[in-house]
Amino acid sequence: MYGKIALEEAWAIPENFKAYDVSSLAPKGVIGDDLIANLLDVHGTRLTQMDSNGVEMMVLSLSSPGPQGVTNPKDAEELATLANDRLAAEISKNLKRFAGLVSLSMHDPAQAGEELRRCWGDKTKGFVGVILNDYQSAGEDKNIMMFYDEEKYDAFWKVAEELGAPVYLHPREPTPLIYDEMWKARPWLAYSALGYAHRIGMHVLGIVTAGVLDRFPRLKVVIGHMGEHIPYDLYRIDHKLNRARFPNMPMAKDKLVRGYFGEQLFVTTSGHFSTPALLCAMQEIGSRAIMFSIDYPFESIPNGCVWFDEHVAVSNRDLVDIGRNNALRVFTRLADSEGVHGLEEKGPRECGVGGLGLKKEREREVEYGLYNRDWDKRLERR
Amino acid sequence: MYGKIALEEAWAIPENFKAYDVSSLAPKGVIGDDLIANLLDVHGTRLTQMDSNGVEMMVLSLSSPGPQGVTNPKDAEELATLANDRLAAEISKNLKRFAGLVSLSMHDPAQAGEELRRCWGDKTKGFVGVILNDYQSAGEDKNIMMFYDEEKYDAFWKVAEELGAPVYLHPREPTPLIYDEMWKARPWLAYSALGYAHRIGMHVLGIVTAGVLDRFPRLKVVIGHMGEHIPYDLYRIDHKLNRARFPNMPMAKDKLVRGYFGEQLFVTTSGHFSTPALLCAMQEIGSRAIMFSIDYPFESIPNGCVWFDEHVAVSNRDLVDIGRNNALRVFTRLADSEGVHGLEEKGPRECGVGGLGLKKEREREVEYGLYNRDWDKRLERR
Amino acid sequence: MYGKIALEEAWAIPENFKAYDVSSLAPKGVIGDDLIANLLDVHGTRLTQMDSNGVEMMVLSLSSPGPQGVTNPKDAEELATLANDRLAAEISKNLKRFAGLVSLSMHDPAQAGEELRRCWGDKTKGFVGVILNDYQSAGEDKNIMMFYDEEKYDAFWKVAEELGAPVYLHPREPTPLIYDEMWKARPWLAYSALGYAHRIGMHVLGIVTAGVLDRFPRLKVVIGHMGEHIPYDLYRIDHKLNRARFPNMPMAKDKLVRGYFGEQLFVTTSGHFSTPALLCAMQEIGSRAIMFSIDYPFESIPNGCVWFDEHVAVSNRDLVDIGRNNALRVFTRLADSEGVHGLEEKGPRECGVGGLGLKKEREREVEYGLYNRDWDKRLERR
Amino acid sequence: MYGKIALEEAWAIPENFKAYDVSSLAPKGVIGDDLIANLLDVHGTRLTQMDSNGVEMMVLSLSSPGPQGVTNPKDAEELATLANDRLAAEISKNLKRFAGLVSLSMHDPAQAGEELRRCWGDKTKGFVGVILNDYQSAGEDKNIMMFYDEEKYDAFWKVAEELGAPVYLHPREPTPLIYDEMWKARPWLAYSALGYAHRIGMHVLGIVTAGVLDRFPRLKVVIGHMGEHIPYDLYRIDHKLNRARFPNMPMAKDKLVRGYFGEQLFVTTSGHFSTPALLCAMQEIGSRAIMFSIDYPFESIPNGCVWFDEHVAVSNRDLVDIGRNNALRVFTRLADSEGVHGLEEKGPRECGVGGLGLKKEREREVEYGLYNRDWDKRLERR
């Protein structure tokens, strides 16, 4: 599919690695040849791969945990500002192909709002939303976890809603405290295999059940990894959030968690290239609530794109909505006609979807059914 | 789901039964108590059942085969005109709940276009589209079958496109000739169990592959019964309509049958209340190409509605699109703000979808997960 | 479906409530009229509801957390022994309809093995497996969590494998420590809506990745709630358990978590009556790895059975496998021809599956397609 | 997947083309370079492609229509005998990789039974079932169609049941009569795109509803092309075969068509490599009723195998059942321990299923999630 938009794509500045050493995530050969080089790069290998895999636009964000991993408020705020300025500088070199999410320190909700306003005010900076990497760490031992369903954060949500800036909630590692208790003896489960989804899933459900989306009805929240297992459990979640048992739960009494999806809550496919999971999510929350993403460079661009372009068994229309159009409806600045990115909704034909042979060089003739793509290769396995 | 729209709903006038005796379709007890009474009724039992099953609007059409079963052109034209006038008279008594499809003799494409214009001109008649019951019978022995992919019918399609009138292609019984050859020894297969879909499926694919939808790109065609098995076979159909093998096939060389669904080709759920079939259709042609329908009185209204409201496992948004909103996008007169029906698109909450306990009498509190609906009934099986 | 077997069904003795007060789980009206009475009951309301909902066999187990919630080893062991003897006494009154899971204190793996042997030795006690309610609490402040992927527990797993006793891993509440840190401000998420699955999901994946199933290749482990969201995340879990990154992870290097499902790892439908989740699980782990369960009395019997019998859109064969036959293959004592329960595998017809009208009173005639079940009710909504 | 078995694979002798000129099916470049050469070949290109695509066994059958296209009984019988002897001679050269279906003239059911007995008696001939290419043509003008639901054919079905020979019902072209009436003006629909499925679908449903499977309860019938659209329509078919309306339909009154699938009725994937269709079939008829096939040389071997091995999103267990094991349960001679083919059921690991990196050369380590297969290729699109 041509014209794809990818939303959860990491980028880093060297200062970012002070808060979190990513080298442990990636011994050579595990995630590409050089994770750090890939994180620092924008216009080189990254763009080349976008070109050859039908990715028109990447929305970049500072690699996790970013300011959320910095316990000192001043240091966290300075990291956010530094990262935002550096990202704006990179993006502005190629606004047709790149956009960005604003990083924020969440120690002080008012300051977070101010930094967001500063970045948002100038469209040419190229920002289209916010990234928050799960809880804000605080305390000398890094063990204090600040969650954004606490009342004081309404000051921040108010600004995000007012500006129309969608907030992407991204996972991060456990605190030392939790890590010691449960994850230390099984570190392989503590991160992306399981723990990431546990923590961010609880956080986003905390925000929803705290009534944040009710108080700010135009606010949009996005989560990755096919919804951090929430779509699969949605029946049980709604069934068990029984108001007779929990009369003090602040979420609107006449709503279900299910009801926010597609309106204020959205998921992306980042790092979870599973067709059964995607089909399940479509049945539970609907294709309008799902957006394509890769999670580069922690995932391979061709891997995510080959899956999406050729393996996913959904209708043409759903494919282009998930691959492109839904992102324009959620991250509206991408499509802002007075804006800098200037993207427009497209149909299946414009995106080359439907008919595996619908290739640019032979546009007037389509052929269907070639899983082993090229006709002249049908006698040998690729 | 409140606010459903049903599109393939039969109605009859006594004169209709001259062409085709429906009593054989329905010994007492097979389809309700009295099929003929149910066909003749509009504002009685039919409306009562619509009320109690969340059907806001029924689009009525003369029971198959209608004029298509009349071999004499003049008789066929007279039957069409009579039926259209009688239907307009019935509908106009309750335009908020009923609309109609225009019946046409298809012996003479120009006359068909004229009759369509006559009915379409006055919005208060309540017509929103056309019904054609498969091939037009002709010849003394009823064995001539006239199909609308023949070139001369372009004169008719042109009018339908110009007026914006969607055309519903409905199945009918075999000709005596075909009936004798293949179906006579196994009559149970000749009608709705199998033969209906065979004949109308070939007819609609004939129209598509003849290039009718290419020549009239704003024309919309609708078929019932979850697509007459076409969605399930779509991969194979497109794969086998190989242009190298069939260079003279008129359909646009750069299109697949798949590509017309959701744009010019739509299906309804009439009489095929199968969740696996619906899920398959959603994967192949997308939820935007599917619309709810019942096929009353050949199907039971509660049967179709209980299936759709409670058994279908699709997202809230897809349910209301399939149950209502898609119909307003295809049959645009239903939603015409200057029109007589005045229907509007609705969201899941307005339609009471999501949360089985979302009932009018206790609107402020929802509960999820009650397959055995009422709380006080959860200890006994209904 | 007649002949269903339900596997995660709670029962209690008054002494059980010392470790955990369930009344908070169930204000009157939330889960039936009287949760405690329902937990204590076996042969009364419970059996009556089994009869009227097609449940032939319930496998009972002491309500969570049972001995796992008792920090003092001696007290925990005494509670287990007491509960096992009481359960055997109840079950033995009706071995055709009830079986049991052995409760165990897990403070001392050797003692756990001995208690299991004691209960297992006499088939007339009716035990067919083991229940472990997540981690074993220990320590004065209840904050020590003992997980069974620790090496010392091999002594227990060895006995379970030797005896052929499948082990059901059931969730429980958080420790005070974890509760304080993360869940206290949002208690509605701490239990069945989310936290249950988080904790037991980590625990079972800990056991699998620790190589327990490799060291004991005939051992079978069962988890409820449609797999505690693991099936949905299975692609990502396997993808991220990268051996190059985690060379010390003990699980066999030539296996994936996916590969254990259906062989040594099984899920039940308890308390998660979601058709999209079931379809996703079937695509990821296969129907042979899934077994029906209700989670009574925390869930309503008719609610679970109406969902399973009438709403689930799977093939006849899969339905009876999931509803009955798979349980006989996993919990083999249920089917032991020399055993006391004497259950046999059945086909769709024997279970009344396929054709909603296939009812005992009119066995020679079937009818299909009646979502609104009885013919004489097809004109009114039930 | 290693070890696949393919069941609907065409082969021809020059004499076969007298009855039907296949060159029209395949202008150069439409289906491989040379359809006729591919039909005649067994041990050359065909076997090479089987090797490189994980196909262990191909069950060969004379290309359609074979004897069914020969109107003169004696000529038809001679063609069948000739083809059977030639096929046995080819197969016997490599019984580990090839088996065959017996061709039969169906002019005389008794003679058909005798020829089947002759071929079946000697296991070293390698026959494992029967192929019938739809109706038997008769009459000077080829317009007489003989269907096997006629009572006289019980004499043949009796032999097939007695011998345990499954009967594969394969489609063929229309008669001149039917061709003239309906298909001539739209020849692209008359064959594999649509007409094939129409005719053979009616034929097989004719056989089922005539009670053939009731009178011969051990008889097994197989159809290709994902069930000739029957699975998708199964709800409607069963719903509309209403016994009150059709009291004379011979099929057992207490059965539904649905109930025969997986017991006596099976489908293959030949030529319909559609994931949504496969998922729908699995929901309606169950994975045990579905078997892999390609339809070579009318379909490309790599195309079918790449789809099945890499695109189909079903569980490991279902994949190997559909790809191999089900064939051994239906065509039992393939697995006959005293037989000549000696195939055995295999598990996912033996077939290399689960973990795309589970390759022979590095068997001790698996990796998951590589849609873009090889690790060293993850930075470029293949």
Side-chain angles (χ1 to χ4, degrees), chain D residues 12-81:
Chain D
I13 54 176
E15 291 83 349
N16 184 238
F17 303 129
K18 286 181 196 162
Y20 189 68
D21 175 13
V22 298
S23 67
S24 67
L25 295 180
K28 286 273 181 193
V30 175
I31 306 173
D33 283 337
D34 190 339
L35 178 63
I36 288 180
N38 290 339
L39 279 168
L40 297 172
D41 165 61
V42 173
H43 307 286
T45 306
R46 187 189 294 255
L47 188 57
T48 306
Q49 290 191 63
M50 287 166 61
D51 286 340
S52 59
N53 286 282
V55 180
E56 183 174 343
M57 166 63 69
M58 261 204 189
V59 178
L60 304 180
S61 49
L62 189 67
S63 188
S64 180
Q68 273 67 65
V70 183
T71 52
N72 179 287
K74 190 154 166 299
D75 292 348
E77 289 166 17
E78 281 177 8
L79 174 61
T81 302

Side-chain angles (χ1 to χ4, degrees), chain C residues 84-102:
Chain C
N84 291 333
D85 289 347
R86 292 259 189 88
L87 183 54
E90 287 294 346
I91 291 170
S92 65
K93 293 177 192 165
N94 195 353
L95 287 161
K96 298 297 175 218
R97 307 300 297 280
F98 295 105
L101 301 180
V102 175

